[in-house]
């Protein structure tokens, strides 16, 4: 998941790290997971992100921010990047960057949109498109920590081919006790799917989520309009706004 680069005071105090691409995993026809070796990486929490800087031979450089896709794993950092056809950075990361190549990472960034394994509260994750990336880091961290917190994921995606981590989510929904995974397809549903393609609705959130009196921690991530709609639905259903955490993304400068 990509955001416009952030230039606040926190980022100026963070160091840039040399990151060497170690592994590539194809997720969809337009997205891939990039696993980097970062020797001096300080660690991170699920939900945090990094700034990526690319520098051309003529000295021109540009930055974008991407969510971290996995929990802390020593000196490795994994980013799942979706290609934006008219983008300046994502086409290079998804089509040109090869194992052994080096880029620069700065982070981790963010301390609010994070899940901590010591929190026993039930968790509701609602993702739109590539907004699944930081939420997947939370799902993976839950398993790694042996947490018994109950997780529910509602994943809104255009078509079955656009699903990130499809095989892993299928396996985790089967094997990770206390994790439920549900999909809403907006353009094309799988053959035999019980509902026609549609946008995420109040009924989807109400039926697939947790009752407000369970006081779940809610994490919503996706395009700006999607996030605002889902946050409004959650509050209208009675969820405490202070427990609804959102992360949104859009074109650079938005």
């Amino acid at each position: 998941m990509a955001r416009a680069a952030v230039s606040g005071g926190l980022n100026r105090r963070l160091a840039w790290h040399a990151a060497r691409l170690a592994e590539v995993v194809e997720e969809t026809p337009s997205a891939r997971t990039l696993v980097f070796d970062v020797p001096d990486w300080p660690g991170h929490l699920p939900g945090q992100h990094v700034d990526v800087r690319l520098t051309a031979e003529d000295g021109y450089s540009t930055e974008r921010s991407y969510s971290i896709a996995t929990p802390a794993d020593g000196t490795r950092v994994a980013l799942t990047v979706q290609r934006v056809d008219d983008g300046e950075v994502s086409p290079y990361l998804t089509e040109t960057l090869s194992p052994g190549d080096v880029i620069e990472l700065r982070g981790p960034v963010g301390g609010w949109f994070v899940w901590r394994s010591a929190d026993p509260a039930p968790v509701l994750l609602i993702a739109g498109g590539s907004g699944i990336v930081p939420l997947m880091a939370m799902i993976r961290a839950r398993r790694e920590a042996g947490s018994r917190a109950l997780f529910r994921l509602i994943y809104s995606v255009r078509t079955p081919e656009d699903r990130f981590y499809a095989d892993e989510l299928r396996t985790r929904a089967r094997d990770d006790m206390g994790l439920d995974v549900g999909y809403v397809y907006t353009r094309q549903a799988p053959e035999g799917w019980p509902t026609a393609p549609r946008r995420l609705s109040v009924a989807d959130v109400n039926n697939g989520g947790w009752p407000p009196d369970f006081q779940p921690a809610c994490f919503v991530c996706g395009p700006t309009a999607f996030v605002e709609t889902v946050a409004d639905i959650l509050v209208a259903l009675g969820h405490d706004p202070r427990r609804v955490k959102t992360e949104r993304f859009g074109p650079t400068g938005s």
Side-chain angles (χ1 to χ4, degrees):
M1 188 198 78
R3 311 169 183 79
V6 180
S7 59
L10 173 61
N11 282 22
R12 287 196 296 268
R13 292 193 298 269
L14 293 173
W16 287 101
H17 305 272
R20 185 178 300 276
L21 184 62
E23 182 182 350
V24 175
V25 179
E26 303 298 333
E27 299 291 353
T28 75
S30 63
R32 64 193 323 207
T33 293
L34 309 171
V35 183
F36 295 94
D37 283 324
V38 190
D40 53 352
W41 186 245
H44 60 271
L45 295 171
Q48 290 186 304
H49 60 278
V50 298
D51 296 332
V52 172
R53 182 167 67 186
L54 302 180
T55 303
E57 292 183 0
D58 63 3
Y60 172 77
S61 67
T62 186
E63 300 172 22
R64 295 293 184 272
S65 295
Y66 291 95
S67 296
I68 304 172
T70 55
D73 180 20
T75 61
R76 287 208 154 184
V77 176
L79 311 178
T80 301
V81 179
Q82 183 167 34
R83 186 183 69 250
V84 178
D85 290 334
D86 59 351
E88 191 174 21
V89 173
S90 65
Y92 175 79
L93 295 179
T94 56
E95 298 174 353
T96 304
L97 194 70
S98 300
D101 291 345
V102 177
I103 64 171
E104 293 178 285
L105 300 182
R106 179 172 59 184
V109 181
W112 183 71
F113 191 83
V114 299
W115 177 75
R116 292 176 170 82
S117 60
D119 186 354
V123 175
L124 173 60
L125 309 172
I126 304 181
S130 60
I132 186 64
V133 177
L135 308 186
M136 192 66 187
M138 297 177 190
I139 290 172
R140 290 165 166 165
R142 173 186 180 270
R143 173 66 177 269
E144 187 173 286
S147 169
R148 295 188 178 183
L150 300 176
F151 270 43
R152 288 185 176 177
L153 168 66
I154 304 173
Y155 187 6
S156 175
V157 65
R158 290 183 178 183
T159 73
E161 290 72 26
D162 292 313
R163 294 175 300 178
F164 288 16
Y165 321 120
D167 291 339
E168 182 180 352
L169 280 172
R170 185 182 305 112
T171 300
R172 288 184 179 276
R174 181 193 66 204
D175 298 340
D176 287 11
M177 186 174 298
L179 169 65
D180 293 323
V181 177
Y183 290 93
V184 174
Y185 296 96
T186 63
R187 297 284 180 85
Q188 177 188 341
E191 184 176 353
W193 195 253
T195 58
R198 68 189 191 285
R199 293 185 180 275
L200 189 75
S201 68
V202 174
D204 294 317
V205 177
N206 188 46
N207 296 333
W210 297 106
D213 56 1
F214 281 28
Q215 297 185 332
C218 302
F219 296 90
V220 186
C221 188
T224 296
F226 172 87
V227 169
E228 291 176 350
T229 296
V230 173
D232 288 345
I233 289 173
L234 288 167
V235 173
L237 288 173
H239 289 271
D240 184 347
R242 296 169 298 181
R243 297 188 63 77
V244 178
K245 299 185 178 184
T246 62
E247 187 89 322
R248 63 200 71 197
F249 60 88
T252 302
S254 65

